[in-house]
Structures are given as structure tokens and as C-alpha cells.
Amino acid sequence: MNILLLGSGGREHAFAWKIVQSSDCTQLFIAPGNAGTAEIATNVSISVTDFEGIRDFINSNNIDLVVVGPEEPLVKGLVDYLQNELSTAKTPVVGPSQLGATLEGSKDFSKRFMQRNNIPTAAYETFNPDQIEAGIVYLKKQKLPIVLKADGLAAGKGVLICLTLEEAISSLKEMLLDQKFGEASSKVVIEEFLTGIELSVFVATDGKSYKILPEAKDYKRIGEGDTGLNTGGMGAISPVIFADAAFMKKVEERVVIPTVEGLAKENIPYKGFLFIGLMNNEGDPFVIEYNVRMGDPETEAVLPRIESDFLGLLHGIATGTLDKYEMKISPDYSTTVVMVSGGYPGSYEKGFPISLPKSSEGSEIFHAGTTRNSKGELVNQGGRVIAVTGKGKTLNEALTNAFETVKGINWEKAYYRKDIGQDILNLMK
Ligand code: AMP
Ligand code: GLY
């Protein structure tokens, strides 16, 4: 197979790393990719939202499978576009239709979907600018804290957890009337605050059958002890010990099956990954959100645990033959530590040369925001720069392997959290 993978993050480097291990991979192209993907496959300089450019590349390179990494092209309708073009109508694609991608693109849409399909989630109501007074009345009746969510995509910043009524009212006004998050906050979901421990569950589906991938826990905040600003993710671990077999059975019965059946029943075409953000509330799962792609950095922790042919999984999703795929998952631990540019998630300097270690035994180095400068040196160009995944028979061993490699990677002002996995190690004591 000739494969075109879209994206440029650590998630896509991990996808590429798995895909090239498959004997069915003839050629892998990544658009636009990063300095890491360039070492194992061919980067092509096409933006993930250049639909015509993607179509033309598929045609001129005999692409047999397209794999979409990030949400933006999905929410903008790439899959529908390729299906409606004569020349690419038959090309299998991993990624949901635009309607399916609305599960991530609109919080109101996803809440209504959950409600219709009896999927457990926080109680909520949605308001637009004309309903501001009703929104304030609603807020006054709710318990604190209360959660306000911009309806649309807001680069991970559109969720506010308000501790006081005053804060909630002024935030609601800012979002609806002052367009705090632009078009994304032209509708606001007001939602009950859920307590418990959060985890991410990943499902592959071809619209009929499904496979549950290894679950993971993400470390979202920039500072140790989960403090400071939210980021795209500073680390991940898999498996998650508080997601035991009994809990995962509830997730499958109460969330995964009703979601996949709901998509089919409502004629929402969906061939792709579904990332379910869940709260484990005293052993019961509640959906916080859907994303229509794999998580980053969760992918870098999850994929090393998949022992069966990953390209086979992708092909099964895209061609509607997932029921024939047998997934094999390693019981080993996998832990990912993300190294970021100093200053991230605020502003940061780019272009510092990165030195990598000679050996990285027991671990894999995935690139995210890296590129090569005019001298050919590896330099940082994004906020999240490198993700290192350690593997081990125990969580401790996996963490040691990850951090040993991280210590050998340097550039000016590099930063990482040293406490990834510590909370779980403490729980295990
Ligand atoms: P989201 O952008 O929907 O992933 O939300 C960002 C983060 O806010 C989530 O990962 C949760 O940690 C938190 N969050 C979102 N909704 C709720 C909720 N209803 N209750 C508690 N925490 C929430
Ligand atoms: N790590 C969270 C995400 O990918 O959205």
C-alpha cells in the first residue's frame, strides 16, 4: 500500500513509526510531517487543509489509503470532499465525515447526541446571545463549581471551570456577548461539574464494528502537581490502573456500544478513531467530551502497546472490514514525557539546536515541533517539541526508561514535567 498520512505532531510520528513496521507498507508520505517523520518516510509540503492539493497528491502518487491525524481537516469536511471528487471517491480514508467530526466541532451537538443515545454525561443546557438572561437564570440555579464551554473549536482553551456565581455570570457574558473565543463561543454549553479521575479511552470504528485500544491518562497542565495553564498534553501513561476490567466493561456497555450504534442509527458516517474523554466517578463512567481523532501525547503511549499490525487496523477502519482484524495488546507499561519549548503554552523562542542521545534503550523518541534549519541542524519550531516513550514491565521501569532518555536530550530553555506517572505510583503504594 502507498499511504498518505496528514499531520505534523508527535501523534503522526508515532503513527508513521508503526505504519512503516508493516510489511504491507510500500511507501509512506506525510503531509506536512516534521523532522522525525522525514527520517523514516517522505515528507511532502502540503497543508492538512489544502483539500485540492491533497486530492492531486493522492492521484499522482497512487495512494491506497489516507490517514487523517488532526481534527481540523475533519471538521472542515476533508473526508466528504474526497468522497465527492470523482478521482478520489474510492480511496479509503481513516477519518470521519464532517457530520461525524461535529462530535468534536460542536459541544452542543455532542451533548445532544449523548442525550438521544442515553450515554452518561454531565447535565447541561446550551445558550446563544439572545438567551443571555435565561442563561443567567439557569446559572443561579446550579451548584458550584460550574463549567462553561464554548460550543466550537477553541484550541483547547474554550472550557472554563467557574468557582463563583459572579465569575460564571461575567464569563458567560464575555463568551456570548464579547465573543471571548470568537465564533466558537457564539453558543455556550453550561454544564454540571463532574468529580472523579479522568482518563482517555480510544475506539477504532468502521461505522459497524469497533475495537477498543489501550486506555491512557493525560497530564494536561504545564506545572508539576497539575498546576498552571492547560497545554495540549505534557505526558501520558498506559495502562491506567484505576480503569480496571469492571470499569472498562461499563465503559464498553454504557458508552462505546451506544456511541457506535448511535452513529449508525443516525446515519452519521464514521470511519476513524474516536477519543472519549471520561470521568471515573466512583467506578461509573461519564463522558466529558468526544474527540474525532487520536490524542496527543496519548498516541505515543498507546501505539507502542499495540502488537498486532497497525496498518491492518487502519485498513480495516477505512474499508469497513474491522470485524476481521484481531488486535493484540501488550500488558507492558508505556509512559510518555513531552519536552516543550521554554515559555510554552505562552510565547517561546524557536530555532535552538537540539541534541539527541546516541542510544535510547527501552524508549522511543517521537518528534513533534521539530524542523531542520538552513545548516541542516535539528531545531525546535513548536511548543511541544519531542515526546519520549519509555516501556517496561512495571510503571516504574517504563518511567525510568523514559526519563533516562529525556535527560540526554537538550536544547536551550527546554522544559518537561518530572512528575509524570507519580500520582499513579502513589495510588499503587
Ligand atoms: P475539554 O476541552 O472538553 O477537554 O475540557 C477540558 C478539561 O476541562 C477536561 O479535560 C476536564 O479536565 C475539564 N472538564 C471539562 N468538563 C468538565 C466537567 N463537566 N466537569 C469537570 N471537569 C470538566
Ligand atoms: N491530549 C489531549 C488531546 O489530544 O486532545
Side-chain angles (χ1 to χ4, degrees), residues 275-351:
F275 160 169
I276 310 174
L278 286 173
M279 196 68 92
N280 176 340
N281 176 272
E282 292 174 13
D284 287 320
F286 290 84
V287 177
I288 296 175
E289 62 165 351
Y290 289 118
N291 294 305
V292 298
R293 52 176 173 83
M294 287 296 289
D296 193 351
E298 291 96 323
T299 300
E300 294 94 298
V302 165
L303 294 204
R305 294 191 55 217
I306 299 180
E307 290 180 334
S308 40
D309 179 33
F310 186 62
L311 183 52
L313 175 72
L314 296 171
H315 188 257
I317 295 171
T319 57
T321 55
L322 194 57
D323 57 334
K324 298 191 181 69
Y325 180 76
E326 258 183 68
M327 187 150 64
K328 191 156 178 273
I329 295 172
S330 156
D332 288 355
Y333 280 84
S334 185
T335 63
T336 301
V337 177
V338 178
M339 303 182 71
V340 303
S341 299
Y344 172 83
S347 59
Y348 51 85
E349 285 174 73
K350 301 177 184 179

Side-chain angles (χ1 to χ4, degrees), residues 97-117 119 121 124 126 150-152 187-189 262-263 266-270 274 290 292:
S97 64
Q98 188 167 29
L99 185 59
T102 313
L103 281 181
E104 176 165 358
S106 164
K107 305 262 188 213
D108 178 51
F109 177 91
S110 74
K111 294 294 286 191
R112 283 189 280 126
F113 175 86
M114 287 184 249
Q115 211 168 35
R116 284 195 299 275
N117 292 286
I119 295 163
T121 186
Y124 82 104
T126 304
D151 177 58
K187 273 195 239 168
V188 172
V189 169
L263 289 167
E266 298 188 14
N267 293 315
I268 301 175
Y270 205 110
L274 190 61
Y290 289 118
V292 298

Side-chain angles (χ1 to χ4, degrees), residues 35 113 185 193 200-201 247 266 295 393:
F113 175 86
S185 61
F193 180 78
S200 309
V201 169
F247 178 75
E266 298 188 14
K393 295 275 170 226

Side-chain angles (χ1 to χ4, degrees), residues 87-156:
S87 60
T88 50
K90 295 215 160 65
T91 309
V93 182
V94 176
S97 64
Q98 188 167 29
L99 185 59
T102 313
L103 281 181
E104 176 165 358
S106 164
K107 305 262 188 213
D108 178 51
F109 177 91
S110 74
K111 294 294 286 191
R112 283 189 280 126
F113 175 86
M114 287 184 249
Q115 211 168 35
R116 284 195 299 275
N117 292 286
N118 295 317
I119 295 163
T121 186
Y124 82 104
E125 229 168 274
T126 304
F127 299 91
N128 66 38
D130 298 333
Q131 300 162 317
I132 182 85
E133 290 309 324
I136 293 171
V137 170
Y138 182 79
L139 278 178
K140 286 181 177 163
K141 286 190 275 184
Q142 307 309 309
K143 278 200 267 187
L144 292 167
I146 184 87
V147 184
L148 267 54
K149 296 186 170 182
D151 177 58
L153 291 185

